[in-house]
Amino acid sequence: MALYLKEHLTFDRAQLVVESSGEGSLKSLYMKGIFIQGGVKNANERVYPVSEIETAVETLNKQIQEGYSVLGEVDHPDDLKINLDRVSHMIQSMWMDGGNGFGKLKILPTPMGQLVTTMLESGVKLGVSSRGSGNVNDLDGKVSDFEIVTVDIVAQPSAPNAYPKAIYESLLNMKHGHKLMELAKDAQGDKKVQRYLKEEVMRLIKDLKINKGKQA
């Protein structure tokens, strides 16, 4: 039986570039960089042969070309299912460069997508993490029969808080958290709403850092 495999890459290690196109309500934000590394032993003691990544990337691109929407979430769920209420972006394409699988994703104007946009535009460094399935050799950690399901947006693994997940959960628990989630739905193209949302999210990040410090 294939295993559930997820691999994190920090903003810097993934060589991520944040790009934008258009203006106002037509503005779109993108993240581009390494989505999965091949041929090296990673932090999870697994090695993805370049040939496995090539096949997985080719399969994913074929799905996209055939009209399948490859959606990604904020942080990882505990399985391979896509939760629509957590979707923040869509994978536009992947390609090989050397032994690594590179890709480009587009941030969507969903509530979670708006939160990601706010964090990126506020200077928060977010990483990426592939989510897929495969078999792992117990002796050398080599992965076989690998399939990429999607690539999620995650906090830096070394960061004290997983900001996207913490913000999402905190918003739901805050007194006016549901109001902010509703505002996130309407933030696209409205500068006043975007500014207010940015202020509230940054305040929440600051509070999360303070609370983490108190717990330490």
Side-chain angles (χ1 to χ4, degrees):
M1 182 178 179
L3 302 174
Y4 171 35
L5 304 176
K6 56 182 179 181
E7 311 295 348
H8 288 62
L9 285 175
T10 64
F11 184 92
D12 294 329
R13 187 160 186 175
Q15 302 174 26
L16 289 173
V17 176
V18 179
E19 303 175 341
S20 64
S21 65
E23 295 182 0
S25 61
L26 298 178
K27 181 179 179 180
S28 296
L29 203 64
Y30 304 86
M31 293 176 71
K32 181 172 66 175
I34 300 173
F35 282 2
I36 186 165
Q37 293 180 310
V40 296
K41 183 167 288 190
N42 61 28
N44 290 324
E45 298 296 313
R46 291 192 281 260
V47 179
Y48 290 77
V50 175
S51 59
E52 288 288 332
I53 294 182
E54 286 177 338
T55 300
V57 166
E58 182 179 346
T59 300
L60 189 74
N61 271 328
K62 184 177 180 181
Q63 292 176 338
I64 294 173
Q65 291 168 5
E66 291 176 349
Y68 179 75
S69 295
V70 181
L71 303 175
E73 300 181 33
V74 167
D75 283 309
H76 278 307
D78 295 324
D79 52 39
L80 295 173
K81 296 178 182 178
I82 303 297
N83 302 289
L84 293 180
D85 62 327
R86 298 293 298 274
V87 166
S88 58
H89 61 279
M90 178 171 62
I91 311 299
Q92 288 199 313
S93 64
M94 286 192 70
W95 63 92
M96 295 298 298
D97 189 338
N100 297 321
F102 280 69
K104 182 176 182 179
L105 61 83
K106 179 180 181 181
I107 309 298
L108 299 175
T110 60
M112 295 309 294
Q114 289 294 337
L115 293 175
V116 169
T117 295
T118 297
M119 285 185 278
L120 290 175
E121 291 182 340
S122 300
V124 177
K125 288 189 174 182
L126 301 174
V128 292
S129 187
S130 62
R131 187 171 13 142
S133 64
N135 297 306
V136 182
N137 187 303
D138 292 333
L139 297 177
D140 56 16
K142 284 189 177 181
V143 176
S144 60
D145 303 316
F146 179 54
E147 179 182 358
I148 300 173
V149 172
T150 190
V151 176
D152 297 311
I153 293 176
V154 296
Q156 300 279 48
S158 60
N161 289 288
Y163 291 134
K165 183 177 181 180
I167 286 176
Y168 178 78
E169 294 177 348
S170 296
L171 283 176
L172 293 182
N173 294 327
M174 284 169 59
K175 184 176 180 180
H176 62 297
H178 285 284
K179 178 183 177 182
L180 285 179
M181 290 298 286
E182 289 299 318
L183 281 173
K185 295 179 182 179
D186 302 325
Q188 185 76 359
D190 191 318
K191 292 184 178 180
K192 289 184 178 180
V193 175
Q194 288 176 342
R195 183 166 59 250
Y196 176 73
L197 180 64
K198 180 177 179 179
E199 292 172 352
E200 289 297 300
V201 169
M202 294 311 295
R203 180 182 63 77
L204 183 54
I205 289 176
K206 183 178 179 180
D207 289 344
L208 287 171
K209 288 182 178 179
I210 292 175
N211 291 335
K212 183 67 176 182
K214 290 180 179 179
Q215 295 172 8

